Amino acid sequence: MKSNVTMKDIADQLGVSSVTVSKALNDKEGVSVELKAKIKQVAEGMGYRYNTLAKQMKEGLTYNVGVIIPERFTGLTQTQSFYLNMYQSIAKELEKSGYYGILHILNRADEDKLNLPRIYNEKRVDAFIFLGQINKTYIEKLQDVEIPKIFLDFYDEQADIDAVITDNFYGAYEMTNYLIKHGHREIGFVGNLYSTSSIQDRFLGFYKSLLEHKIELNYAYVIKDRNEHGAFIDLELPDKLPSAFVCNCDQVAHHLVNKLKVLGYRIPEDCSIVGFDNDIYATITEPSLTTIEVNIQEMAKQTTKSIVEKIQNNNQSFGRISVKGKLIYRNSVTKVAER
Amino acid sequence: MKSNVTMKDIADQLGVSSVTVSKALNDKEGVSVELKAKIKQVAEGMGYRYNTLAKQMKEGLTYNVGVIIPERFTGLTQTQSFYLNMYQSIAKELEKSGYYGILHILNRADEDKLNLPRIYNEKRVDAFIFLGQINKTYIEKLQDVEIPKIFLDFYDEQADIDAVITDNFYGAYEMTNYLIKHGHREIGFVGNLYSTSSIQDRFLGFYKSLLEHKIELNYAYVIKDRNEHGAFIDLELPDKLPSAFVCNCDQVAHHLVNKLKVLGYRIPEDCSIVGFDNDIYATITEPSLTTIEVNIQEMAKQTTKSIVEKIQNNNQSFGRISVKGKLIYRNSVTKVAER
DNA sequence: CTGAAAGCGCTTACAG
DNA sequence: CTGAAAGCGCTTACAG
């Protein structure tokens, strides 16, 4: 069980050349069936482990993909398991294709100073997946990056970079339709419209539903949930509450429900509330939240498929892929009360 | 900005040798200050990126560490962000030392069939961190693995493999002391004693506290929380409730609180309950849970430091490192009621 | 201070 | 079917 057994060692053992050993172990043409079997058997016996580095060097490919998550989405504060779950799914999918995902947390300083990850400068990865919205200026800086890259869970219209996103627009649209079907006409939205493209699109889907139903958008009902750094802020409620709120995510819906309960409102009797994401906050909220489930696995699958294709086919562009979510019906919505 | 600029290209550009370029870029001795500056400048100008593969191959080291998490700890079911958080901390720490963490989810089939991860057979990693308890037989199989390895968050007495764990024993001991100080004499424990070493140690810390206070252990108060596959089961409560329960983790404490509330008990007035981990379940439970905070960052730091040392110093052994947790006081404990 | 030579462990043409 | 030669992009002695 020596650790540094090479093909040459196996070759010497059998009195053949290392070329033949290479062919045999890789199941390539040009080795007799018997010799191939013999070689494999000896390799096994000698405890041979294939040295990927040599192949990588020959090809100039690492078979690693960098997955970059901005630090602000990863705080050790309980939340955001969404991104880690996504990373996990990606790691699994990549492995199926013979690739490996290297996680890099992009800290705020590097993001501000436009420092590219070291894994890039050391040629440790063949491509990048950016998971979670990054700064505008950093996105511009990415023009310099000469390997394939994909945005995941956000996109940028300026930069011509392929993206895989959840169908935020349609999800919020469907959700709002659902509320309207329940008689709601005064519906608020909770989220900072200038924070991320996801929130923006969810807002626009919400707005589209209002437009279709000829319901006027009341900006007094649009409530900011976070500051420009993405940190949650205290929710400022309007004097008069709408009969329902569409929240841009479950966590904020959770905050809102708790805040309203403290103020003496009953949910959903006095106010219906819906979330987005179907993360842990959807089920721990009392009442449990009607929400949109993001299809993490499908998103990971699409992302992996696309990035592998880009690596193998000359970085071809595919544009933007929207992965549909699914409406999950729970207990935070009721028919609008007669007033 | 050609992508495949090599040291040779830089050398040719300047009419020097690639050896000199190598020395200059690595800040080694033997290049004049002016030439070094010149070389660095030209490298920058040509968009040179260092090719780590060549160095890796020369050294026979990848500077990658495999982090293995058994699948059962990662289910996409909301929970277990603990392990992913730990992985994230490890990835960060490794990067500080010039290493990168490759996540591999060990699925049940591979675990049962004793298949070693492909990253091992392809020599893609220099060492392994096993995060979360694995099968006994798989642990035995690890004897064959000829690179450094560490167990994280569990250990095995048979296998002589170094481990970093949270101080389960002392944490539960302290917690139980705390309950006893509040007048509790009838205290239950919730957890399957045969499931993991963590649960066992927490139980034993709990038991030590009872012994020290001359309180008899009542097995009717020891409640199983999961089956042998680690899946949670329905909690079977004793006919007469103790005045307090030490739960082996926050999630189970959360279940227990909810179950007792449904049965009409008030927490903590009728029964005090404490958890372990200080994960999201500790704060979402109503009342919030008094618990032990596991120091994820410190554990990640110790693990990384140890594994890097093992890689660099001939796999030297360091035994077992216990990282102390911290008692977090919340609202799920009260003085025992007079009966 | 500078560089020619050899080598890390494979694979890819190409020749026999 | 089998193998000698060259090369992937560096670094490490060693010589000048």
Side-chain angles (χ1 to χ4, degrees):
Chain A
M1 284 294 179
K2 262 186 65 233
S3 69
N4 45 349
V5 180
T6 68
M7 288 189 180
K8 185 76 173 51
D9 297 330
I10 300 171
D12 289 349
Q13 181 87 8
L14 285 164
V16 298
S17 83
S18 59
V19 175
T20 303
V21 173
S22 170
K23 284 175 185 158
L25 295 182
N26 288 297
D27 284 320
K28 298 222 164 137
E29 304 234 305
V31 197
S32 67
V33 185
E34 307 85 52
L35 183 54
K36 190 203 275 190
K38 187 94 194 158
I39 288 173
K40 286 192 172 182
Q41 185 192 321
V42 171
E44 172 92 38
M46 294 175 79
Y48 174 74
R49 285 189 290 142
Y50 184 82
N51 189 328
T52 321
L53 287 174
K55 182 198 182 195
Q56 291 176 193
M57 171 122 109
K58 201 54 171 102
E59 296 187 3
L61 289 173
T62 65
Y63 291 90
N64 288 143
V65 173
V67 180
I68 312 295
I69 306 182
E71 192 175 27
R72 65 179 158 287
F73 296 124
T74 67
L76 275 174
T77 62
Q78 319 195 320
T79 84
Q80 273 32 44
S81 69
F82 173 76
Y83 286 106
L84 288 178
N85 275 336
M86 183 70 91
Y87 168 72
Q88 185 196 313
S89 290
I90 290 172
K92 264 197 212 165
E93 288 297 327
L94 281 173
E95 209 170 323
K96 284 187 201 159
S97 311
Y99 286 80
Y100 296 89
I102 294 187
L103 175 67
H104 173 74
I105 308 294
L106 177 63
N107 68 49
R108 180 169 296 285
D110 284 339
E111 190 174 355
D112 287 344
K113 289 188 203 141
L114 306 183
N115 292 331
L116 294 175
R118 195 163 49 166
I119 40 176
Y120 177 68
N121 292 317
E122 293 179 352
K123 284 197 182 172
R124 280 180 165 275
V125 293
D126 300 337
F128 276 123
I129 295 170
F130 290 89
L131 176 48
Q133 186 128 21
I134 48 182
N135 283 348
K136 267 281 180 196
T137 48
Y138 201 90
I139 291 177
E140 283 163 28
K141 173 73 176 177
L142 292 183
Q143 303 298 339
D144 295 353
V145 171
E146 11 182 54
I147 59 179
K149 40 198 176 293
I150 287 185
F151 289 161
L152 176 51
D153 199 47
F154 74 105
Y155 64 92
D156 183 276
E157 210 46 76
Q158 306 301 312
D160 190 27
I161 295 177
D162 298 332
V164 174
I165 55 174
T166 190
D167 199 337
N168 294 303
F169 182 84
Y170 189 78
Y173 167 74
E174 234 189 340
M175 188 58 109
T176 311
N177 286 345
Y178 171 74
L179 287 173
I180 292 173
K181 222 175 287 166
H182 276 65
H184 295 276
R185 309 282 302 175
E186 304 204 308
I187 309 177
F189 181 88
V190 184
N192 180 346
L193 310 189
Y194 304 100
S195 179
T196 68
S197 60
S198 298
I199 297 181
Q200 248 172 36
D201 292 354
R202 289 173 191 186
F203 168 74
L204 291 171
F206 156 81
Y207 190 24
K208 178 183 170 65
S209 170
L210 295 189
L211 286 174
E212 277 195 5
H213 292 86
K214 304 262 181 353
I215 298 177
E216 208 163 322
L217 175 62
N218 182 345
Y219 277 100
Y221 291 163
V222 177
I223 299 172
K224 214 168 137 182
D225 69 329
R226 64 191 78 189
N227 62 25
E228 55 282 6
H229 301 304
F232 287 116
I233 60 177
D234 200 39
L235 302 171
E236 287 187 27
L237 299 177
D239 296 334
K240 179 174 161 292
L241 235 47
S243 69
F245 273 110
V246 172
C247 299
N248 83 86
C249 69
D250 290 336
Q251 191 175 358
V252 156
H254 179 74
H255 291 332
L256 180 59
V257 166
N258 287 345
K259 176 149 191 157
L260 290 177
K261 286 203 295 199
V262 167
L263 293 173
Y265 294 97
R266 296 161 304 158
I267 314 295
E269 292 80 359
D270 298 329
C271 186
S272 290
I273 290 177
V274 297
F276 209 113
D277 291 341
N278 194 33
D279 62 25
I280 191 164
Y281 288 97
T283 43
I284 67 171
T285 304
E286 178 46 44
S288 59
L289 299 173
T290 290
T291 187
I292 302 279
E293 179 173 80
V294 172
N295 195 337
I296 292 182
Q297 298 194 51
E298 181 61 22
M299 289 176 78
K301 216 168 267 182
Q302 291 287 345
T303 304
T304 302
K305 192 173 138 246
S306 306
I307 203 75
V308 169
E309 270 172 20
K310 283 169 86 75
I311 292 172
Q312 291 170 355
N313 302 328
N314 202 25
N315 203 1
Q316 87 187 108
S317 173
F318 63 86
R320 203 158 71 224
I321 297 176
S322 288
V323 175
K324 282 247 174 319
K326 188 178 152 202
L327 223 164
I328 307 283
Y329 303 96
R330 292 213 182 85
N331 308 306
S332 62
V333 173
T334 190
K335 289 230 168 76
V336 72
E338 321 290 332
R339 302 204 179 187
Chain B
M1 286 292 181
K2 262 187 64 234
S3 69
N4 45 349
V5 180
T6 70
M7 287 188 180
K8 186 76 174 52
D9 296 330
I10 300 171
D12 291 349
Q13 181 86 9
L14 285 164
V16 298
S17 83
S18 58
V19 175
T20 302
V21 173
S22 171
K23 285 174 185 161
L25 295 182
N26 288 298
D27 284 321
K28 298 221 165 137
E29 304 235 306
V31 197
S32 66
V33 186
E34 307 84 53
L35 184 53
K36 189 202 276 189
K38 187 94 194 160
I39 288 173
K40 285 192 171 180
Q41 186 191 322
V42 171
E44 171 93 39
M46 293 175 79
Y48 174 73
R49 285 190 291 142
Y50 184 81
N51 189 329
T52 321
L53 287 174
K55 182 199 184 193
Q56 291 176 194
M57 170 123 108
K58 197 69 167 86
E59 296 186 5
L61 289 172
T62 64
Y63 292 89
N64 288 144
V65 172
V67 180
I68 312 295
I69 307 182
E71 191 176 26
R72 63 179 159 288
F73 296 125
T74 67
L76 275 175
T77 63
Q78 321 196 320
T79 84
Q80 272 32 45
S81 69
F82 173 77
Y83 286 106
L84 288 178
N85 275 337
M86 185 69 91
Y87 168 72
Q88 185 196 314
S89 290
I90 290 171
K92 263 197 212 167
E93 289 297 327
L94 281 173
E95 208 169 322
K96 285 186 201 162
S97 312
Y99 286 79
Y100 296 88
I102 294 186
L103 175 68
H104 172 73
I105 308 294
L106 178 63
N107 68 48
R108 181 169 296 284
D110 285 339
E111 190 174 354
D112 287 344
K113 287 188 205 142
L114 305 183
N115 293 331
L116 294 174
R118 193 163 51 167
I119 42 176
Y120 177 68
N121 292 318
E122 294 180 351
K123 285 198 182 170
R124 280 179 166 275
V125 293
D126 300 337
F128 276 123
I129 295 170
F130 290 89
L131 176 49
Q133 187 128 21
I134 48 182
N135 283 349
K136 268 279 180 199
T137 48
Y138 200 89
I139 291 177
E140 282 163 28
K141 172 73 175 175
L142 292 183
Q143 304 298 338
D144 295 353
V145 171
E146 10 180 57
I147 59 178
K149 40 198 177 293
I150 287 184
F151 288 162
L152 176 52
D153 200 46
F154 75 105
Y155 64 93
D156 183 276
E157 210 49 74
Q158 306 302 310
D160 190 27
I161 294 176
D162 297 332
V164 174
I165 54 173
T166 191
D167 199 336
N168 294 303
F169 182 84
Y170 189 77
Y173 167 73
E174 235 189 340
M175 188 59 109
T176 312
N177 286 345
Y178 171 74
L179 288 172
I180 293 173
K181 222 175 287 165
H182 276 65
H184 295 276
R185 309 281 304 173
E186 304 204 309
I187 309 176
F189 182 88
V190 184
N192 180 344
L193 311 188
Y194 305 100
S195 179
T196 68
S197 60
S198 298
I199 298 181
Q200 248 172 36
D201 292 353
R202 290 173 190 186
F203 169 74
L204 291 171
F206 156 82
Y207 189 27
K208 178 184 169 64
S209 170
L210 295 190
L211 286 174
E212 277 196 2
H213 292 86
K214 304 260 181 353
I215 298 176
E216 209 164 321
L217 175 62
N218 182 347
Y219 278 100
Y221 292 161
V222 177
I223 299 173
K224 214 169 136 181
D225 68 330
R226 63 190 78 190
N227 62 25
E228 54 281 8
H229 301 304
F232 287 115
I233 60 177
D234 200 39
L235 302 171
E236 286 187 28
L237 299 177
D239 296 335
K240 178 174 162 296
L241 236 46
S243 70
F245 274 111
V246 172
C247 299
N248 84 85
C249 68
D250 290 336
Q251 192 175 358
V252 156
H254 179 74
H255 291 333
L256 179 59
V257 166
N258 287 345
K259 177 150 191 156
L260 289 177
K261 286 203 295 200
V262 168
L263 293 173
Y265 293 96
R266 294 161 306 157
I267 314 295
E269 292 80 359
D270 297 329
C271 187
S272 290
I273 290 177
V274 298
F276 209 114
D277 291 341
N278 194 33
D279 62 25
I280 191 164
Y281 288 98
T283 43
I284 68 171
T285 304
E286 177 48 42
S288 58
L289 298 173
T290 290
T291 187
I292 303 278
E293 179 174 81
V294 173
N295 195 337
I296 292 183
Q297 299 194 50
E298 181 61 22
M299 290 176 78
K301 216 168 267 183
Q302 291 287 345
T303 304
T304 301
K305 190 173 139 247
S306 307
I307 202 76
V308 169
E309 269 172 21
K310 283 168 85 75
I311 292 172
Q312 291 171 354
N313 302 328
N314 203 25
N315 202 3
Q316 87 187 110
S317 171
F318 63 86
R320 203 156 71 225
I321 296 176
S322 286
V323 176
K324 282 249 172 318
K326 187 178 153 200
L327 223 163
I328 308 283
Y329 303 96
R330 292 213 183 85
N331 308 307
S332 61
V333 174
T334 189
K335 288 227 168 79
V336 71
E338 322 291 333
R339 301 204 182 189

